[in-house]
Amino acid sequence: MQTTEKVKPCFPLFNEPEYQNIFETKRAYEERHPKEKVAEVFEWTTTKEYQDLNFKREALTVNAAKACQPLGGALCGLGFEKTMVYIHGSQGCVAYFRTYFNRHFKEPIAFIADSMTEDAAVFGGQKNVHEGLQNATKLYDAKMIAVCTTCIAEVIGDDLGAFIGNAKKEGYVDKDFPVPYANTPSFVGSHVTGWDNMFEGIVKYFTNGKMEDKAPGKNGKINIVPGFETYLGNYRVIKRYMNEMGVDYTYLCDPDEVLDTPATGEYEMYAGGTTIEEVQDAPNAITTFMLQSTTLEKSKKFIENTWNHEIPKLNIPMGVEWTDAFLMKVSEATGKEVPASITKERGRLIDMMTDSHQWLHGKKMAVFGDPDFVMGLVKFMLELGIEPTHIVCNNSNKRWEKAMKKMLEDSPYGIHAKLYPGCDLWHLRSLCFTDKPDFIIGSSLGKFIQRDTLYKGPEFEVPLIRLGFPIFDRHHLHRMTTLGYEGGMYILTTLTNAVLEQLDQETKLLGKTDYNFDLIR
Amino acid sequence: MANIMIRKSDKGYVFYMPKRDIEDSIVSMEFDSPEKWGGEIKLGNGGIYYIEPQVAPERLPYSVRAKRIDGVE
Amino acid sequence: MGLLNREEAEALIQEVLEVYPEKAKKDRAKHLMVNDKTITQSKKCITSNRKSVPGVMTQRGCAYAGARGVVWGPFKDIIAISHGPIGCGQYSRGGRRNYFAGISGVDSFCDVMFSSDFQEKDVVFGGDKKLAKLIDEVEGLFPLSKALSVQSECPIGLIGDDIEAVSKKKAAEIGKTVVPVRCEGFRGVSQSLGHHISNDAIRDWILPARDGKLDEGTPYDVAILGDYNIGGDAWASRILLEEMGLNVVAQWSGDGTIVEIENTPKVKLNLLHCYRSMNYIARHMEEKYNIPWMEYNFFGPSKIAESLREIASHFDDTIKEGAERVIAKYQPMMDAIIAKYKPRLEGKKVMLYVGGLRPRHTIGAYEDLGMEVVGAGYEFAHNDDYDRTIKEMKDATLIYDDATGYELEEFVRQVKPDLVGSGIKEKYAFHKMGVPFRQMHSWDYSGPYHGYDGFAVFARDMDMTVNNPCWSMFKAPWQQEEVEAEQKVA
């Protein structure tokens, strides 16, 4: 029973004997499998035999590490000034997208749906688009409404372009009001694809057929395209570098303000973001830097073909070399030198690497996450002397696979690594039992593997290091930085301290393992 | 015609139409004997429905088709 | 009495409606009301369970969410397969905190996500074959599951797949129940239809499994319906029912198992907590198995005691004495909790906007703490829920159905409650506005809130949020000077 001195929530309340007793007595009503049987099957799920069966799956996904297209489309829309993200389809999807981002960013997320229901599934969703756009423009004081779709609209084949055109023709929305759109079917690709599609939709809307007076280099700026990016620090670090280099730039899609508004007593639905004028002027930039090169294929094609930009072939600027490459390319494109301040920052990162290498060298770590993120992380791991083992990318693509293979072959630290394109976290669970890494790096979704491996015994536990998206069970990590030298510092600090934390866990037993429970590490 | 369910409460019959979430007391039922049961039923909310007269069900609740004659829905 | 009188409340609704275009305004007007306790039938003054207006930021979810998230997800030994594209399964994972006791991935599956991850070819050529194969794979990898349920996502219903046929065929092959659930997200207007469809699916595919084979049971067998064990709610409820001498044969569906469903027809009374999501099956069992049902409310000591006595009234004196014994056992603890927290919360005003039950069910718990609910609304309630709400709410309080983001913010701006209880989508906007906020779907990662033990947590949580120092630091000192200066000038 509770006491006023210490009110107990779920844990430790349910560890009290009276509740433990209920768990036992309830079993009588459950006709559960005997505990011995459950233990036996659990052990079997940790075997190589089970893993082989597990990897034979063709139809079933268990514990996915990816989401669907419109989630990415919605994040892209958020990055433009006073833009309302409008999702054409069922309203439940939109509730899910908002919730997913709420949980990650701990921020309000304003997206709207046009609530297609059974009749719309039969007759098409044009009425919803008309009424929806009319209400949205009236209610939410937006400068732009960015529309993407859910699978209902895609399956019934709604002609979104025509619907929006008709809405303007028939006066539901002002004919000059910008309503860019993209088709984002959930059954193709993943959230990173959706980002790419929505981005292409927006830049196309504002620049396609409006290229007469545009020419690369005219405005002297460079464009930065982030891709599906959930670390706020990543937007900021790139801006800082540009400012320190004296490079004039346009961040094409910049949600770092709207995803980080201060508590003032007023709720501001919009904040910051790329302006329409900036998008219109973007073709005039010297060139466009795509920060996540393996997942922005469609946008890249559009920018190359329509804006005539020669897009630099770069990898995500994570770790030392790829940040070097990025900065040199920016320097080359703009003629601005990399300033001493950034060189100093680089030196500080290298200094940290020298300080911590002894704890990281030779550590075996499994990784999972989105394609470019995983690629950049693995690159940095190789630079740190960490040996990546199981590399899982649920939403991988061929380009990614090829590039990853090459990178691993080129590094002596890549010999233990194995790529698992298209695999999910139930595959990774098996791998963590049969070929135990020291750690898993990935989003919160990996925490169940840590729990399951611990259940086999403390010596089998594979701790999770939280880097990626989504992070639901730790606060404010989305504010950190993973790109650039600054990102390297954060990743290095996180990894090193995870290793030391684990070592303390293992050596803190008084009189048993504490010979190695050192004050200084 | 819609499916309704008739229940018995301590205050008499209760009408329930799942499709419209109408739950109300039945203030009168045209026929209410073991041999003949149903006919026109009036609800507390003023609604009037019609159930084909039939032998009274052995026990309640009982689901039956009813026709709306008049009233709020 | 709320902060507003009737005229002010009416005027507020009119003011809020002003911004809408004509058609939307007319529609939304029907969903907003000022409470009048003399009204016995809500439908005369508030419309509910209707399509949401496109483009207004409804907070509602879909039928799939009601089926997968609410009804099916919490059954621990039934594997819930999200059938369709990957998103729905991913987004519905873990959000509802349905606790369970078991070995996850082996004999319990509440926190494992199963999806058929539809690709374009599945949409084009149909997904029935994939589903059949998937069921074999589930069976191979998770042999200790007791049953499977298949939740269809939007495309399934549009491409003409026959998941019923596949389910029947595979059930025969693997010797386990496989339940097809037609809960495509476009069906109905909210989560609510997903509950109803799921109730019907249980009725048709599981409930009669042991008809004619069940033993008599004991005179004290009951089932808990509509408790999803969020943060352990059902456990904090079960403990009280067992202490008063009842046998809880089944929990629907929090920490529940398929045999508990199959055994429910032998209970003597069905206890219904979330009326909205499980009244259908209770009514069905009343008709088919002659099992009476009653709604109860385990939020806050007043309602708990009332409910325990009402439950006991269906049984003999041993149970009636049992109820009194339980009430007497916990009352001193409750008195102490109230003595501790009430002085800190007395007179505070609360606005609620939750799913289909809690806005009315938690009023008593707030009142036990001296707090007052001045506005309440539901995402997906029906007329019968509003009938029940009008009685619980005070006169001239605001009642809102399927409220939009804009309406909620405006109401809160004007009514200035001391606490808002709603969901994660609403939470952070109110944080920015400086309004203390608790999530009332997930208990804000706390709980349980049901039962006597739960009320202690509820009281603690409301206090920590209403009285945390963070709400007083919104203005920097220099900004406060500005404010004062402005006031002086004015």
Side-chain angles (χ1 to χ4, degrees):
Chain A
M1 204 189 334
Q2 302 276 18
T3 60
T4 47
E5 292 72 48
K6 192 169 183 358
V7 172
K8 295 174 181 163
C10 331
F11 177 86
L13 177 66
F14 298 128
N15 254 28
E16 299 282 312
E18 68 261 35
Y19 283 101
Q20 288 296 310
N21 182 46
I22 307 203
F23 295 166
E24 276 312 306
T25 55
K26 186 173 182 293
R27 285 188 79 97
Y29 298 95
E30 296 175 338
E31 299 177 23
R32 296 244 296 271
H33 297 284
K35 286 179 180 170
E36 306 72 50
K37 180 78 192 163
V38 174
E40 184 194 316
V41 172
F42 172 80
E43 277 306 318
W44 173 63
T45 67
T46 70
T47 60
K48 181 73 176 44
E49 181 197 339
Y50 186 87
Q51 177 178 310
D52 292 343
L53 190 62
N54 191 9
F55 273 79
K56 284 203 186 101
R57 274 190 280 141
E58 288 173 358
L60 172 66
T61 294
V62 185
N63 293 349
K66 63 174 179 180
C68 68
Q69 277 213 45
L71 183 83
L75 180 66
C76 179
L78 262 189
F80 292 84
E81 190 201 22
K82 285 191 91 174
T83 296
M84 177 54 78
V85 172
Y86 177 112
I87 290 157
H88 175 52
S90 304
Q91 71 202 10
C93 313
V94 179
Y96 277 144
F97 307 149
R98 294 175 65 198
T99 301
Y100 214 62
F101 285 136
N102 290 141
R103 288 176 178 150
H104 177 79
F105 292 109
K106 317 271 180 231
E107 288 292 316
I109 302 289
F111 302 152
I112 49 183
D114 61 15
S115 303
M116 283 174 72
T117 50
E118 211 144 6
D119 51 344
V122 176
F123 300 111
Q126 170 146 284
K127 256 182 71 183
N128 299 66
V129 169
H130 289 179
E131 216 182 303
L133 286 177
Q134 183 182 36
N135 289 330
T137 40
K138 194 92 192 280
L139 270 177
Y140 290 111
D141 188 31
K143 279 192 174 170
M144 181 201 314
I145 292 182
V147 184
C148 58
T149 54
T150 72
C151 40
I152 180 176
E154 291 298 328
V155 172
I156 65 173
D158 271 0
D159 186 347
L160 195 51
F163 291 178
I164 294 169
N166 293 340
K168 289 186 171 181
K169 225 179 282 166
E170 291 169 36
Y172 291 99
V173 54
D174 194 273
K175 70 178 194 322
D176 297 323
F177 189 85
V179 188
Y181 68 91
N183 292 93
T184 48
S186 313
F187 43 82
V188 176
S190 71
H191 55 289
V192 296
T193 326
W195 198 98
D196 186 29
N197 283 334
M198 187 77 247
F199 182 81
E200 198 244 10
I202 292 173
V203 292
K204 197 175 187 175
Y205 182 90
F206 289 109
T207 62
N208 204 24
K210 293 163 191 155
M211 291 297 297
E212 315 81 55
D213 54 341
K214 312 267 164 65
K218 208 168 157 187
N219 69 12
K221 296 181 177 182
I222 59 166
N223 299 323
I224 312 270
V225 178
F228 188 92
E229 176 58 73
T230 54
Y231 278 99
L232 299 183
N234 287 348
Y235 293 97
R236 292 165 184 169
V237 69
I238 300 293
K239 290 180 196 171
R240 179 166 64 76
Y241 287 165
M242 295 306 111
N243 291 336
E244 288 181 26
M245 289 177 80
V247 169
D248 208 357
Y249 67 94
T250 305
Y251 229 103
L252 290 174
C253 184
D254 181 13
D256 94 78
E257 285 290 329
V258 74
L259 290 172
D260 198 17
T261 60
T264 58
E266 277 301 319
Y267 164 47
E268 305 283 353
M269 192 175 276
Y270 308 108
T274 310
T275 64
I276 291 173
E277 295 70 30
E278 285 173 316
V279 180
Q280 287 164 333
D281 189 40
N284 288 327
I286 299 164
T287 189
T288 300
F289 286 79
M290 318 285 271
L291 299 185
Q292 302 195 34
S293 53
T294 70
T295 53
L296 293 168
E297 210 40 30
K298 197 171 179 187
S299 303
K300 182 164 166 263
K301 240 177 234 160
F302 177 81
I303 292 172
E304 283 174 340
N305 296 339
T306 308
W307 296 0
N308 293 316
H309 285 191
E310 268 180 50
I311 295 181
K313 289 195 176 29
L314 284 170
N315 293 299
I316 186 169
M318 269 171 96
V320 181
E321 281 181 28
W322 286 357
T323 302
D324 294 347
F326 170 75
L327 292 171
M328 285 191 291
K329 210 52 164 181
V330 172
S331 170
E332 185 191 314
T334 58
K336 308 270 184 177
E337 303 227 325
V338 180
S341 61
I342 296 180
T343 312
K344 192 201 263 179
E345 184 178 318
R346 183 183 187 281
R348 283 172 175 157
L349 171 61
I350 306 300
D351 185 58
M352 289 170 72
M353 289 164 70
T354 63
D355 299 341
S356 305
H357 78 273
Q358 69 199 79
W359 296 110
L360 297 174
H361 189 100
K363 283 280 175 298
K364 295 194 170 45
M365 300 194 187
V367 187
F368 71 91
D370 288 338
D372 285 292
F373 168 78
V374 165
M375 190 185 284
L377 186 59
V378 168
K379 171 68 181 161
F380 188 42
M381 287 161 74
L382 298 173
E383 292 173 342
L384 292 167
I386 298 173
E387 296 180 19
T389 57
H390 321 300
I391 302 172
V392 170
C393 184
N394 208 171
N395 47 350
S396 62
N397 56 50
K398 284 272 178 292
R399 278 186 305 285
W400 178 86
E401 255 177 80
K402 222 174 118 190
M404 285 295 291
K405 225 167 155 191
K406 167 121 196 3
M407 177 170 74
L408 292 166
E409 278 165 4
D410 288 351
S411 166
Y413 302 99
I415 45 166
H416 293 293
K418 203 162 168 222
L419 293 176
Y420 294 95
C423 285
D424 57 40
L425 299 183
W426 198 256
H427 292 119
L428 184 57
R429 179 185 185 272
S430 271
L431 296 168
C432 286
F433 279 120
T434 57
D435 181 11
K436 181 187 174 295
D438 299 315
F439 294 88
I440 309 169
I441 309 177
S443 71
S444 295
L445 300 172
K447 76 186 292 181
F448 299 100
I449 299 179
Q450 178 170 6
R451 175 194 64 183
D452 292 3
T453 49
L454 172 65
Y455 186 69
K456 190 174 166 79
E459 68 274 31
F460 297 98
E461 180 182 11
V462 185
L464 172 69
I465 300 172
R466 285 167 179 76
L467 283 169
F469 170 83
I471 295 177
F472 290 155
D473 62 339
R474 294 291 183 273
H475 279 213
H476 311 312
L477 293 184
H478 67 277
R479 307 175 56 78
M480 302 299 139
T481 308
T482 59
L483 297 187
Y485 307 125
E486 182 188 321
M489 293 176 185
Y490 170 65
I491 295 172
L492 171 80
T493 307
T494 304
L495 298 183
T496 307
N497 288 332
V499 169
L500 296 176
E501 188 63 44
Q502 180 65 13
L503 188 57
D504 271 359
Q505 286 293 328
E506 289 162 357
T507 60
K508 69 184 175 190
L509 303 177
L510 182 63
K512 206 171 162 204
T513 57
D514 64 347
Y515 48 82
N516 198 179
F517 191 62
D518 291 357
L519 174 63
I520 307 153
R521 302 241 196 235
Chain B
M1 294 285 269
N3 274 323
I4 64 149
M5 188 188 269
I6 294 184
R7 308 170 60 205
K8 188 116 189 165
S9 79
D10 32 345
K11 289 173 204 128
Y13 291 127
V14 180
F15 173 99
Y16 174 66
M17 183 189 285
K19 211 171 163 190
R20 294 253 174 270
D21 303 299
I22 296 172
E23 185 165 32
D24 214 319
S25 57
I26 294 178
V27 283
S28 75
M29 190 186 290
E30 193 177 356
F31 308 108
D32 193 9
S33 68
E35 314 77 56
K36 199 173 182 191
W37 183 87
E40 202 167 275
I41 53 177
K42 285 194 182 130
L43 305 188
N45 69 12
I48 303 171
Y49 291 81
Y50 181 79
I51 303 173
E52 202 55 47
Q54 53 193 282
V55 177
E58 276 175 32
R59 65 178 173 81
L60 294 175
Y62 178 66
S63 288
V64 63
R65 305 278 288 171
K67 199 161 93 187
R68 187 168 73 110
I69 307 283
D70 189 22
V72 266
E73 247 192 33
Chain C
M1 202 182 70
L3 287 180
L4 307 177
N5 63 34
R6 174 166 301 281
E7 289 69 36
E8 287 165 340
E10 300 276 9
L12 171 57
I13 289 178
Q14 286 315 314
E15 188 191 323
V16 166
L17 286 169
E18 224 29 70
V19 66
Y20 288 104
E22 209 45 46
K23 186 171 174 217
K25 182 179 180 179
K26 221 171 120 192
D27 185 295
R28 288 305 308 153
K30 295 185 218 152
H31 296 264
L32 307 173
M33 71 175 277
V34 178
N35 196 31
D36 179 350
K37 288 178 86 102
T38 61
I39 295 168
T40 53
Q41 287 190 318
S42 63
K43 65 175 168 291
K44 290 179 181 154
C45 48
I46 192 160
T47 301
S48 57
N49 197 31
R50 292 288 183 272
K51 274 194 277 191
S52 300
V53 178
V56 299
M57 208 179 302
T58 173
Q59 312 290 358
R60 280 173 166 177
C62 62
Y64 166 89
R68 167 67 182 82
V70 176
V71 177
W72 293 97
F75 284 119
K76 62 184 170 187
D77 61 0
I78 306 178
I79 286 183
I81 298 160
S82 295
H83 187 37
I86 196 70
C88 310
Q90 185 69 292
Y91 308 131
S92 57
R93 189 178 179 197
R96 283 184 51 81
R97 305 182 65 235
N98 312 112
Y99 284 7
F100 61 95
I103 303 302
S104 181
V106 182
D107 72 348
S108 303
F109 305 94
C110 297
D111 61 19
V112 188
M113 174 261 214
F114 298 85
S115 169
S116 55
D117 187 8
F118 253 41
Q119 301 299 306
E120 194 147 26
K121 63 176 192 303
D122 302 314
V123 172
V124 176
F125 299 111
D128 284 344
K129 275 198 187 127
K130 188 173 203 181
L131 178 62
K133 185 175 222 177
L134 179 150
I135 291 171
D136 286 335
E137 290 174 359
V138 167
E139 186 55 15
L141 290 167
F142 306 95
L144 298 191
S145 76
K146 289 287 192 68
L148 281 66
S149 68
V150 180
Q151 276 87 50
S152 344
E153 300 167 13
C154 287
I156 305 304
L158 299 169
I159 61 176
D161 273 12
D162 190 352
I163 62 166
E164 287 79 7
V166 177
S167 299
K168 249 187 214 150
K169 182 160 170 279
K170 296 315 282 187
E173 279 176 35
I174 65 172
K176 287 179 185 174
T177 304
V178 182
V179 186
V181 189
R182 281 281 177 185
C183 55
E184 287 88 348
F186 59 80
R187 294 192 196 281
V189 301
S190 68
Q191 292 94 312
S192 184
L193 190 66
H195 309 144
H196 198 154
I197 290 168
S198 299
N199 276 228
D200 290 354
I202 293 177
R203 176 195 70 199
D204 296 340
W205 295 78
I206 304 181
L207 194 61
R210 297 186 177 185
D211 280 3
K213 290 176 245 167
L214 284 175
D215 60 58
E216 264 292 283
T218 79
Y220 303 130
D221 290 353
V222 297
I224 294 176
L225 306 187
D227 189 323
Y228 302 105
N229 207 29
I230 290 164
D233 281 340
W235 294 332
S237 304
R238 183 184 187 97
I239 199 167
L240 303 179
L241 298 171
E242 289 193 338
E243 274 183 63
M244 72 193 266
L246 296 171
N247 304 321
V248 182
V249 169
Q251 284 177 206
W252 295 52
S253 54
D255 194 39
T257 56
I258 185 164
V259 302
E260 292 173 53
I261 309 179
E262 292 171 353
N263 284 332
T264 303
K266 73 177 180 186
V267 304
K268 305 304 175 291
L269 179 65
N270 271 324
L271 301 173
L272 183 55
H273 206 256
C274 179
Y275 171 87
R276 179 69 275 130
S277 57
M278 285 211 172
N279 82 84
Y280 318 101
I281 200 75
R283 291 177 192 274
H284 168 74
M285 283 192 267
E286 184 181 31
E287 180 170 14
K288 182 169 176 191
Y289 302 105
N290 211 8
I291 303 168
W293 55 275
M294 59 163 279
E295 294 169 59
Y296 71 111
N297 179 350
F298 269 9
F299 287 108
S302 304
K303 292 290 178 187
I304 298 172
E306 202 181 303
S307 292
L308 288 173
R309 290 189 173 113
E310 203 187 328
I311 293 167
S313 73
H314 288 75
F315 296 93
D316 61 19
D317 286 349
T318 50
I319 301 297
K320 288 182 185 126
E321 284 154 21
E324 294 309 322
R325 196 176 56 240
V326 170
I327 294 166
K329 175 183 164 188
Y330 287 94
Q331 199 57 51
M333 186 263 279
M334 287 292 99
D335 293 342
I337 290 287
I338 288 171
K340 178 174 175 183
Y341 292 108
K342 192 171 178 178
R344 304 169 58 79
L345 294 167
E346 183 119 53
K348 302 285 186 196
K349 309 269 184 282
V350 187
M351 285 183 83
L352 299 170
Y353 181 68
V354 203
L357 172 83
R358 286 161 180 169
R360 65 173 180 275
H361 250 46
T362 55
I363 292 172
Y366 283 113
E367 287 177 353
D368 285 336
L369 293 168
M371 301 170 82
E372 192 182 332
V373 177
V374 296
Y378 301 92
E379 280 181 28
F380 51 76
H382 299 202
N383 287 332
D384 40 1
D385 300 300
Y386 286 101
D387 289 344
R388 289 159 169 78
T389 307
I390 287 170
K391 289 181 209 146
E392 296 283 339
M393 295 285 290
K394 298 206 162 141
D395 260 329
T397 51
L398 289 169
I399 300 183
Y400 27 92
D401 177 70
D402 184 21
T404 67
Y406 160 76
E407 287 162 6
L408 290 173
E409 283 147 37
E410 281 309 305
F411 286 153
V412 168
R413 248 181 217 122
Q414 307 253 4
V415 176
K416 299 187 176 64
D418 302 288
L419 177 71
V420 172
S422 189
I424 184 103
K425 296 190 289 300
E426 298 84 358
K427 179 181 174 84
Y428 299 105
F430 292 117
H431 279 188
K432 305 283 179 198
M433 289 163 70
V435 182
F437 184 99
R438 291 296 305 189
Q439 284 187 67
M440 295 301 283
H441 296 262
S442 67
W443 306 150
D444 241 320
Y445 322 116
S446 174
Y449 282 180
H450 291 179
Y452 287 116
D453 284 341
F455 179 71
V457 183
F458 175 86
R460 179 201 74 154
D461 288 356
M462 297 310 136
D463 171 48
M464 74 162 77
T465 291
V466 169
N467 295 311
N468 188 279
C470 65
W471 308 112
S472 63
M473 297 180 190
F474 274 51
K475 291 279 174 259
W478 52 93
Q479 289 175 308
Q480 265 151 11
E481 279 163 24
E482 280 169 32
V483 174
E484 279 160 28
E486 273 169 32
Q487 280 166 348
K488 259 181 209 160
V489 175

